[in-house]
């Protein structure tokens, strides 16, 4: 009798579907790095069929929830954030969140921002024994010296440490930030990087008509800055570096994309520069790709999405060796870096590019190739794995707590 032949087939594993509460003070269409990152992560979770409960401040009087099959929105009251026009800070809402999560209990809570709304979410989640992942997106303790409350730096560090250490895990974008926070006494830190949309940001977006609109010839060098026009972005060094570049090569023009509290003063002082205001989508992509050199001397970033957007767009980037630049730029190969706070070193690197369009192109081509490997899909997969682990760990803990206690007899 012939032996029976057994055929074993490996079936694809089925990804558990989670109910995820995401709490944030900022979300698209607001224009900033945190909002952009959260939008990407939430969209990625929805694509993976997770149910997302988005909790955020109402952005304006006409703002209404936009529910879908995998997204419900819960809008909370907010107040304007000082010196951040258009952004709201959520007000405390512990009681409301406790009621919501008692009725619609999530498997895990993701808190993106550390304001009153985030603190309320943390307190409500801890009360209901919900696992919490927190994000460290913004160096508020570094911002303090730029906004006149440097004496509060220690208090801010202590507040943020207390906040994040009440979460099961704190997610940071780089190894450098992880080291810094460990030095401040943070616990349970994991790295989840950032991606870039290379379908949107790529060298093919270069626009000769846009450069002509700027009054720039093709053989001239456009020195670009993209970001908030505010004290913490170190704009004075942008202009000092540009002036030094122009001495080395008079055929340089300065273009700035973005808005903020310092735009009016810089625009009045620097009438030789082109101020384009806030740009989004394809217009932003065209502005990037139509530049040649990207200057970004900020020291307050946890990541800095603009760095990798500029790289993806084929620009030669000059940045300090921190945040995204520390992770993805190899000095002299796909960009140039200076040691943090070395202003003279930053200027030297910028000047080295000014008279050498061939070097600009070589670095820009290598930068775009490096950015092509920064996939959002891979980032969202890592983020999803963290949330699945937290939910499964909490489920196992809850099951153990429900086991009956058996009395032992001698």
């Amino acid at each position: 009798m012939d032996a029976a032949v057994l055929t074993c087939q490996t079936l694809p594993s089925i990804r558990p579907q989670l109910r995820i509460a995401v709490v944030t003070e900022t979300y698209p269409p607001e224009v900033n790095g945190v909002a952009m990152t959260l939008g990407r992560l939430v969209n990625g979770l929805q694509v993976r069929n997770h149910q997302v409960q988005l909790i955020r401040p109402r952005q304006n009087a006409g703002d209404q929830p936009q529910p879908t099959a995998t997204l419900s929105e819960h809008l909370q009251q907010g107040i304007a954030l000082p010196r951040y026009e258009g952004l709201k800070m959520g007000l405390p809402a512990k009681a409301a969140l406790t009621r919501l999560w008692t009725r619609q209990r999530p498997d895990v809570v993701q808190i993106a921002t550390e304001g009153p709304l985030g603190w309320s979410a943390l307190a409500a989640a801890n009360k209901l024994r919900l696992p919490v992942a927190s994000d460290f997106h913004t160096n508020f303790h570094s911002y303090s010296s730029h906004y006149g409350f440097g004496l509060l730096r220690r208090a801010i560090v202590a507040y943020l440490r207390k906040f994040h250490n009440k979460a099961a895990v704190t997610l940071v974008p780089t190894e450098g930030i992880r080291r810094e926070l460990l030095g401040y006494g943070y616990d349970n830190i994991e790295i989840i990087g950032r991606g870039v949309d290379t379908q949107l940001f790529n060298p093919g977006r270069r626009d000769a008509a846009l450069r002509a609109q700027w009054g720039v010839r093709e053989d001239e060098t456009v020195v670009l800055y993209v970001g908030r026009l505010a004290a913490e972005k170190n704009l004075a060094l942008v202009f000092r570096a540009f002036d030094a570049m122009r001495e080395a090569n008079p055929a340089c023009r300065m273009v700035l994309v973005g808005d903020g509290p310092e735009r009016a003063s810089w625009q009045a002082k620097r009438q030789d520069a082109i101020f384009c205001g806030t740009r989004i989508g394809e217009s932003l992509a065209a502005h990037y790709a139509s530049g040649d050199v990207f200057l970004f001397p900020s020291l307050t970033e946890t990541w800095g999405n603009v760095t990798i957007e500029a790289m993806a767009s084929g620009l030669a980037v000059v940045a300090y060796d921190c945040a995204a630049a520390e992770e993805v730029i190899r000095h002299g190969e796909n960009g140039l870096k200076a040691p943090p706070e070395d202003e003279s070193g930053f200027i030297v690197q910028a000047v080295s590019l000014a008279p050498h369009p061939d070097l600009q192109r070589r670095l820009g081509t290598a930068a775009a190739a490096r950015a092509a490997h920064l996939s959002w899909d891979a980032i969202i997969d890592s983020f999803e794995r963290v949330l699945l682990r937290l939910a499964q760990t909490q489920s196992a803990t809850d099951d153990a707590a429900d086991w009956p206690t058996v009395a032992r007899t001698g």
Side-chain angles (χ1 to χ4, degrees):
M1 182 176 178
D2 293 337
V5 178
L6 298 179
T7 302
C8 295
Q9 182 180 7
T10 302
L11 297 175
S13 60
I14 299 175
R15 178 191 286 115
Q17 293 185 2
L18 295 179
R19 299 180 301 274
I20 304 165
V22 176
V23 183
T24 178
E25 317 274 345
T26 182
Y27 196 73
E30 292 170 346
V31 180
N32 60 74
V34 178
M36 187 279 288
T37 298
L38 261 292
R40 281 281 178 182
L41 293 176
V42 166
N43 288 341
L45 292 172
Q46 292 178 265
V47 167
R48 290 157 176 77
N49 292 318
H50 299 296
Q51 296 289 324
V52 179
Q53 189 185 72
L54 179 64
I55 297 148
R56 62 175 178 81
R58 190 178 299 277
Q59 294 170 335
N60 53 65
D63 194 4
Q64 295 297 324
Q66 302 293 325
T68 68
T70 53
L71 177 71
S72 62
E73 287 193 279
H74 302 267
L75 307 187
Q76 304 295 317
Q77 186 178 0
I79 58 173
L81 195 60
R83 303 191 71 167
Y84 270 77
E85 185 178 353
L87 292 185
K88 295 291 183 67
M89 178 173 62
L91 296 178
K94 179 183 175 182
L97 293 177
T98 301
R99 288 193 299 270
L100 173 63
W101 290 339
T102 299
R103 295 193 314 268
Q104 302 174 36
R105 185 178 178 88
D107 297 306
V108 62
V109 176
Q110 170 70 19
I111 303 177
T113 51
E114 305 98 332
L117 180 59
W119 188 268
S120 296
L122 185 62
N126 287 342
K127 178 180 178 179
L128 296 173
R129 295 177 62 200
L130 296 170
V132 175
S134 65
D135 279 333
F136 191 89
H137 280 287
T138 306
N139 264 324
F140 286 114
H141 54 285
S142 296
Y143 277 41
S144 61
S145 60
H146 297 285
Y147 286 93
F149 48 91
L151 294 177
L152 296 178
R153 180 185 175 95
R154 282 190 175 183
I156 294 169
V157 168
Y159 167 82
L160 293 174
R161 179 177 59 239
K162 182 178 180 180
F163 180 97
H164 287 285
N165 282 353
K166 286 181 175 291
V169 64
T170 295
L171 306 178
V172 300
T174 69
E175 173 60 28
I177 294 296
R178 190 186 77 87
R179 290 195 305 267
E180 180 183 356
L181 296 188
L182 287 174
Y184 285 136
Y186 283 59
D187 301 323
N188 303 318
I189 301 174
E190 296 190 30
I191 299 172
I192 299 291
R194 301 287 184 267
V196 62
D197 181 355
T198 54
Q199 294 296 311
L200 179 61
F201 300 106
N202 62 73
R205 299 281 182 177
R206 193 174 180 89
D207 187 346
L210 179 58
R211 287 175 64 94
Q213 180 182 320
W214 293 338
V216 175
R217 300 188 312 271
E218 190 55 36
D219 62 346
E220 290 183 293
T221 293
V222 170
V223 180
L224 187 71
Y225 167 86
V226 178
R228 185 168 151 80
L229 303 183
E232 73 272 10
K233 299 300 184 181
N234 209 4
L235 292 172
L237 184 54
V238 170
F239 284 106
R240 285 175 55 204
F242 169 72
D243 288 342
M245 292 178 72
R246 192 165 53 181
E247 286 186 16
N249 176 14
C252 288
R253 293 294 302 274
M254 185 77 228
V255 175
L256 298 97
V257 177
D259 211 337
E262 293 201 344
R263 177 179 175 177
S265 62
W266 279 113
Q267 202 160 356
K269 287 186 286 190
R270 299 300 305 240
Q271 297 184 21
D272 57 325
I274 300 164
F275 291 80
C276 301
T278 300
R279 301 285 166 168
I280 61 174
E282 293 185 356
S283 175
L284 174 60
H287 279 67
Y288 270 119
S290 299
D292 300 294
V293 175
F294 185 75
L295 300 183
F296 195 62
S298 174
L299 285 165
T300 58
E301 309 303 310
T302 58
W303 177 252
N305 292 309
V306 295
T307 299
I308 54 173
E309 289 170 356
M311 292 177 69
S313 302
L315 275 67
V317 174
V318 181
Y320 279 130
D321 190 11
C322 58
E326 181 181 11
E327 297 285 315
V328 300
I329 292 180
R330 294 180 66 87
H331 180 71
E333 294 183 19
N334 58 15
L336 299 177
K337 298 189 288 189
E341 300 187 17
D342 181 359
E343 295 193 353
S344 296
F346 185 94
I347 292 171
V348 166
Q349 298 302 330
V351 169
S352 72
L353 290 172
H356 300 295
D358 54 337
L359 178 58
Q360 297 168 21
R361 287 191 291 270
R362 178 174 67 79
L363 293 177
T365 299
R370 175 67 181 91
H373 295 286
L374 299 174
S375 161
W376 267 114
D377 282 341
I379 301 303
I380 295 165
D381 284 344
S382 298
F383 180 58
E384 179 192 43
R385 284 195 294 272
V386 170
L387 299 185
L388 284 167
R389 188 188 74 230
L390 292 183
Q392 290 163 356
T393 300
Q394 186 63 44
S395 178
T397 301
D398 291 344
D399 288 345
D402 291 338
W403 292 345
T405 302
V406 179
R408 287 190 173 186
T409 58

